[in-house]
Amino acid sequence: RVERLKMLMEGSDFAKKIHVTDLATHVGYMPENPYDPKYEEVLVACKAIVEKCKENGQNFLFETGQETPVTLKRAIQDIEKAVGKGNVGINLDPANLIMYGKANPVDALEVFGEYVMGIHGKDGKYPTDGHHLGDEVPLGQGKVNYSAFIAKLKEIGYQGDITIEREISGEEQKKDIRMAKELLDKLIAE
């Protein structure tokens, strides 16, 4: 954790030099039980990077996936109590919530929607065994209900970007990204 925090601090300084305003990452394992001593250990590290980002005029965004929405919201609220509000939020990857088996992304917006500062346009399937994540698939072919998801984003007033993410390479990746853009453009226009 110490090495990772050092790298994030250096990354924040570098990002400032190139005028990047959002620093997003998975923070690693965070216990769901706020009374677990490891929860406070994770928060100490998160508070430090959030403060560094604040100094650098940046937002620190938790990438969703490994934590339940309630755990993530609790962590953000606990960090805000210590360092103040305004620069800590969520980069919501709806597919990660499904692929990790943590939540339905539409329901997750009910829990932490006010903290969403970025979105990944990605799709996936729930895990089917206890040892592997669910599969990432082309947007529109997984378990993210994009029609309901976009409608919920509109309802909560989200006006930021949706960054299409497809974690494969080559021509299939390009095709899938173009298809995702068409689908998202259509849903956003509705």
Side-chain angles (χ1 to χ4, degrees):
R1 184 176 297 139
V2 171
E3 284 300 311
R4 181 119 191 269
L5 184 58
K6 181 182 172 200
M7 288 175 19
L8 285 169
M9 297 286 197
E10 291 170 358
S12 175
D13 287 337
F14 176 75
K16 180 181 179 182
K17 289 178 184 176
I18 60 171
H19 309 289
V20 171
T21 58
D22 291 338
L23 194 69
T25 189
H26 292 277
V27 298
Y29 173 72
M30 180 182 302
E32 291 188 32
N33 178 353
Y35 303 107
D36 183 323
K38 293 192 183 313
Y39 175 78
E40 188 57 38
E41 291 172 14
V42 173
L43 280 192
V44 168
C46 289
K47 289 172 191 174
I49 189 62
V50 167
E51 287 176 329
K52 179 66 161 180
C53 286
K54 188 174 275 192
E55 289 171 19
N56 285 337
Q58 299 160 329
N59 297 312
F60 178 80
L61 307 182
F62 286 88
E63 171 113 12
T64 56
Q66 297 167 315
E67 305 84 18
T68 63
V70 170
T71 299
L72 193 51
K73 184 172 185 173
R74 178 187 308 117
I76 291 171
Q77 290 171 332
D78 290 347
I79 291 166
E80 287 180 333
K81 286 177 193 170
V83 302
K85 294 185 176 202
N87 80 311
V88 62
I90 294 171
N91 182 58
L92 173 54
D93 186 321
N96 281 355
L97 288 173
I98 287 176
M99 291 163 51
Y100 280 90
K102 294 295 183 178
N104 175 304
V106 178
D107 296 336
L109 285 167
E110 290 282 337
V111 176
F112 59 43
E114 73 268 26
Y115 291 106
V116 174
M117 296 178 168
I119 304 271
H120 278 173
K122 186 169 102 180
D123 212 342
K125 296 183 177 181
Y126 285 104
T128 57
D129 67 47
H131 297 281
H132 300 96
L133 295 178
D135 293 329
E136 183 206 359
V137 296
L139 195 139
Q141 296 180 24
K143 294 296 183 179
V144 178
N145 179 343
Y146 267 96
S147 180
F149 183 68
I150 297 296
K152 189 67 174 176
L153 288 174
K154 290 177 183 180
E155 181 183 315
I156 67 168
Y158 179 78
Q159 303 212 349
D161 295 328
I162 298 176
T163 303
I164 297 170
E165 182 178 38
R166 182 69 170 113
E167 297 181 16
I168 59 172
S169 60
E171 290 305 311
E172 185 67 26
Q173 180 191 45
K174 293 174 188 174
K175 177 182 149 259
D176 290 352
I177 290 171
R178 284 190 294 272
M179 186 174 64
K181 182 183 181 316
E182 288 174 21
L183 177 60
L184 290 170
D185 284 343
K186 178 182 173 229
L187 292 171
I188 291 167
E190 290 178 350

